[in-house]
Amino acid sequence: MATSERPWSAVLRYAESRQNLFGSVCGLAGVGIALTGAAGALWPLVVGGLYTAGALIAPPDRPATPEFAEEGDRLDRLRADFATLRGYLAEVELPVAARERLTALDALVEALLEPGWVTDPEHLHLIARTVRQDVPEAVDTFVRTRWWSRFSAGAEAPEEHLERQLTALHEQAVSVASALREAEAVRQQIHTRYVEERGD
């Protein structure tokens, strides 16, 4: 789920973020305090400190979670929904470890969704649930919980839950890939036996 972007696009995105807006409002309050003379010679520290505090307490920008209208397991629709999910995930800020797990899961799901591989309805349903429900919900819940966890010291780190969820989802996708590999191996063995045993 890696994306390439121009260097200044991250700056523009931050300029429009809630963190910058909250920080700017608090920084302006610091300017007001400085103009009254209450901050004295330390006014730059007051303004900078209030900006930083505002940026830290601001709720994070949370991209809208994609809504998938179709619940069916048609491969073409599922591939389109997977592309939508990728667009959503590219906008979400995640810890490095969680992003690595998500990238591994992404690569495996992409391979499984190639036409002609997954035909078993149960396997298709599992992949559809991963794409349309499990991954979006795991990521959105993490983004919401991460902000609130700042105000509750000693709470379990939300990124640990996210990493565990993504690991479990990857293992499920691996089980589908393993089943496909075994089925193809059996198919190859049957064909080998057929070729070797048939008469001229």
Side-chain angles (χ1 to χ4, degrees):
M1 310 214 174
T3 56
S4 59
E5 60 179 7
R6 297 178 181 175
W8 46 265
S9 63
V11 175
L12 291 177
R13 191 165 60 245
Y14 179 77
E16 298 171 349
S17 69
R18 291 182 187 176
Q19 283 86 357
N20 186 45
L21 294 176
F22 271 64
S24 297
V25 169
C26 292
L28 286 174
V31 171
I33 293 171
L35 290 176
T36 64
L42 298 176
W43 69 267
L45 293 177
V46 171
V47 173
L50 286 173
Y51 174 88
T52 302
L56 288 175
I57 64 171
D61 290 320
R62 189 174 60 86
T65 308
E67 295 182 8
F68 303 108
E70 186 174 334
E71 293 297 328
D73 297 338
R74 284 188 15 242
L75 186 59
D76 58 342
R77 185 64 253 173
L78 188 50
R79 286 169 59 86
D81 288 346
F82 181 55
T84 301
L85 175 64
R86 280 178 149 176
Y88 161 70
L89 294 174
E91 298 178 23
V92 180
E93 182 182 335
L94 296 174
V96 174
R99 181 63 70 180
E100 289 173 353
R101 284 172 171 77
L102 196 57
T103 300
L105 176 61
D106 172 83
L108 187 50
V109 170
E110 180 182 28
L112 291 171
L113 288 178
E114 285 296 319
W117 285 113
V118 179
T119 56
D120 184 277
E122 186 176 331
H123 290 162
L124 274 175
H125 178 71
L126 188 148
I127 297 170
R129 188 179 63 202
T130 298
V131 168
R132 295 175 177 149
Q133 178 182 338
D134 295 336
V135 171
E137 186 173 335
V139 171
D140 186 60
T141 303
F142 163 76
V143 173
R144 292 170 181 263
T145 308
R146 178 179 57 178
W147 184 67
W148 286 108
S149 67
R150 297 177 181 183
F151 304 104
S152 52
E156 197 169 0
E159 51 268 22
E160 292 179 7
H161 282 284
L162 178 62
E163 290 169 22
R164 286 166 56 190
Q165 292 165 14
L166 294 175
T167 298
L169 292 171
H170 185 265
E171 289 172 355
Q172 292 174 17
V174 167
S175 71
V176 173
S178 297
L180 286 174
R181 184 175 61 248
E182 291 171 9
E184 291 300 323
V186 169
R187 181 181 173 194
Q188 186 181 39
Q189 291 168 10
I190 291 173
H191 188 65
T192 299
R193 193 158 50 245
Y194 163 73
V195 170
E196 289 175 347
E197 294 177 356
R198 72 181 178 187
D200 292 334

